[in-house]
Structure formats: C-alpha cells, structure tokens
Amino acid sequence: MTHLFFSKSSKWLGLVLGLCFFAVSFLSSIAFGQIPISFRTIVDAFLDFDQNSTEHIIITTTRITRAVIATVIGVSLSIAGALMQALTKNHLASPSIFGINSGAVFFIVLSMSLFSISSLKHYMWVGFLGAGVSAIMVYFLGSLGRDGLSPVKIVLSGAAITALFLSLTQGLLIINGQNLEGVLFWLAGSIAGRTMDMLKPILPFIIGGWIMALFLGHPVNILTSGEDIAKGLGQRTVLVKTLMAVAIIFLAGGSVAVGGSIGFIGLIVPHIVRGLVGNDHKWIIPYCGLFGASLLLLADIVSRFIIMPQEVPIGVMTALIGTPFFISIARRGLR
C-alpha cells in the first residue's frame, strides 16, 4: 500500500495541516446553521460578550457546546476504532464489534421499562454502564479456551453478544412500545440537545482513554507484528490487550453514552489514516483523533441543512457517509 507521508518530517507536517483543518471545521460548526453567524461575531462573542445579542447567546449556550461534544466523540470513536482493528486484526472492526452500541441501547431501554427513567443525563450513565458490561462480556468470552484471546474468537463473541442484546431490546420495546418514541432519537445518534453538564461527568474516563491510547502506540506496533514475536521481545501481551480493551470501553462507551449510536466513524477514519501514515500506531492514534473530530464536525454541519428547520440525526449522516465506504472495504478484502 502506498502511503502519502513517508518521512517523519512529512508526518509532522501532515499533523499540523490536520490541526488546521480541524480548527476550520470547529469554527464552521459554530458559524453555520439555521441562523448563520460570521467569524467576526464568533470572535466578539468570546472577547466582548454582549448579553443582549441573540447571536452571542446562541454561540455560548448552544453552538460551542455542540462543537465540543462532536469533537470529543469524533476523537474517541476514531481512536477506539483504530485500537479495535489492531486488537482483533480485522480492518472491518468498529465499536459495534464489542457489542458496545447494542449493550448501551439495551441497558437504556431496560432502565426505561423498569424504572421509567427519561432524563438524558441518566441515559448517559446507564448507557456507559451497558457499554462497559457488554464489552467485558465479549472480552471474557473471546478469552476462553487454551489459546486465549484470538481475532476470530473475539469477533464471534462480539457478534453473539450484539445479537443477544439487540434481540432483548426489541423484545422490551414490543412489550412496552411507549418507550420507543422517548429513546428513538438517541438510538439514531445525536448531539443536539446535549449539554456540557452531560459531558463533564464522563469526560475524565474519555481523557483517560486518550492518554492510554497515546502511550499504547509502541506496544500496539509490537503486538500487531505477531503474538509470538511480541512474546519473544518480552512483551506482556495479555496486559497490553487488557489495557487496549479498557481504553476502548472508556472511549467508545463514553461516546455512545453521550451521543448515542453514531456509527462508521471508528471504521472510516483509521483506514484513511493508514493510507496517509502507514501502520505505525504512534502516528495513527493522533491522526485518528484529528481526522475523526473533523469528520464528525462536518457531518454535523451537513445534518443541519438537509431538512431545515429540522435536523437529520448525526448517526444517520455518518451511516450515509460510511456505508459506501464499508462496502468498498469489504469488496477489496474479498478480492
């Protein structure tokens, strides 16, 4: 595979360009919407806030929060996807392979059915718990047997747990159909209506996942060279895999808890990044963070204009972008 950036200096340059692209995407997320706002007004809102200005209020109460949440989720899902693909040695892996989305959905619907929970803030914690439980179940099942954790076993375990939770969720919704309307927008994936108060409690877990992922870059490179080679070099492969799984739970689980089922970011971005920098995870992880944030910000901007004054859930937008990409990868893999 030909890579765009060969030398270390080129990779640093690409990282700077990626940061600039992210900055433009972030500002565009604040500027564009049902009420367009100029970049000069954005600057004034931070340097000279006017409480009587409708545009300043929109920026500080809605747009900046939405851009920050999209950034956090985009960074987290793309890095989680890169770690999953390395852990499972499967380039079609994404957060859904660990049953994270289905586990979070099931726990939320279960909490609505049993405890009549209707608060987005409560959904967040219940979803995070469900994502973590399902991921642990997949990891445990994939580790059973003499040969321990293997790519095939973890993929099969993920598929089984995902199918289980989806079936249970459908059963609960059939039994108690009134819950469907209350959770539907969350199931589609959305960052609209989220607040910083929802993000703050989960943010320490997500930041912890970012830090772990950055420090795992070199060990992941060794692990992907082969289990026997890694053990021959003295790597404690079980520990590395466990840390990767914990980071994935924090990143993907936290993202699903805040934004719902936003798919394909964790699949698309790692493939794009590997085309730029190759298979070195010391570069893949930071590149994934920048490109994942930018992609989700741009998807959110587009979602505001398709059916104005209403919005398309961002999970639908990422599916529209990601499905052709997924088909292309799958066909290339079959060939």
Side-chain angles (χ1 to χ4, degrees), residues 8-281:
K8 188 174 182 179
S9 58
S10 297
K11 291 176 181 177
W12 277 111
L13 176 61
L15 207 58
V16 172
L17 293 175
L19 184 60
C20 294
F21 181 62
F22 161 71
V24 172
S25 302
F26 190 90
L27 290 174
S28 298
S29 177
I30 300 173
F32 298 125
Q34 188 173 351
I35 299 176
I37 299 173
S38 67
F39 289 103
R40 177 62 184 272
T41 304
I42 295 172
V43 175
D44 290 340
F46 290 101
L47 299 182
D48 187 20
F49 178 75
D50 181 3
Q51 62 181 2
N52 296 318
S53 171
T54 302
E55 292 177 331
H56 285 195
I57 293 173
I58 290 174
I59 291 170
T60 55
T61 60
T62 305
R63 296 274 179 90
I64 186 67
T65 299
R66 188 163 177 165
V68 169
I69 291 175
T71 298
V72 171
I73 293 176
V75 171
S76 301
L77 287 179
S78 57
I79 292 177
L83 291 178
M84 285 181 177
Q85 290 171 16
L87 180 62
T88 63
K89 295 181 176 65
N90 182 348
H91 284 182
L92 294 179
S94 64
S96 59
I97 200 172
F98 263 32
I100 287 175
N101 289 355
S102 59
V105 169
F106 170 70
F107 270 64
I108 286 173
V109 174
L110 182 66
S111 68
M112 293 176 69
S113 300
L114 296 182
F115 306 107
S116 300
I117 292 176
S118 59
S119 166
L120 282 176
K121 201 167 186 177
H122 292 149
Y123 283 169
M124 179 193 70
W125 283 112
V126 174
F128 188 56
L129 174 63
V133 169
S134 59
I136 291 171
M137 289 175 66
V138 171
Y139 187 76
F140 174 76
L141 289 175
S143 300
L144 293 177
R146 293 181 179 180
D147 55 343
L149 186 68
S150 69
V152 174
K153 286 167 61 180
I154 199 168
V155 169
L156 292 175
S157 300
I161 294 298
T162 297
L164 172 65
F165 280 135
L166 285 177
S167 299
L168 292 174
T169 300
Q170 291 172 355
L172 286 174
L173 290 174
I174 290 171
I175 294 170
N176 190 3
Q178 63 183 8
N179 287 336
L180 180 59
E181 185 177 351
V183 78
L184 190 59
F185 202 67
W186 185 91
L187 294 179
S190 176
I191 57 174
R194 271 56 173 175
T195 65
M196 290 301 293
D197 288 337
M198 288 183 61
L199 179 64
K200 286 177 183 177
I202 220 81
L203 194 58
F205 295 98
I206 291 176
I207 293 175
W210 292 349
I211 294 171
M212 289 175 65
L214 289 172
F215 278 101
L216 281 170
H218 181 63
V220 170
N221 285 341
I222 296 175
L223 184 65
T224 54
S225 65
E227 189 90 9
D228 294 336
I229 294 174
K231 289 181 178 179
L233 293 173
Q235 184 181 81
R236 298 167 66 184
T237 56
V238 174
L239 176 62
V240 173
K241 291 178 181 178
T242 302
L243 291 175
M244 290 172 69
V246 171
I248 290 167
I249 292 171
F250 283 176
L251 295 174
S255 298
V256 171
V258 176
S261 299
I262 300 175
F264 289 102
I265 295 292
L267 171 67
I268 297 171
V269 175
H271 280 272
I272 296 173
V273 168
R274 279 193 294 269
L276 295 174
V277 301
N279 295 315
D280 187 347
H281 286 81

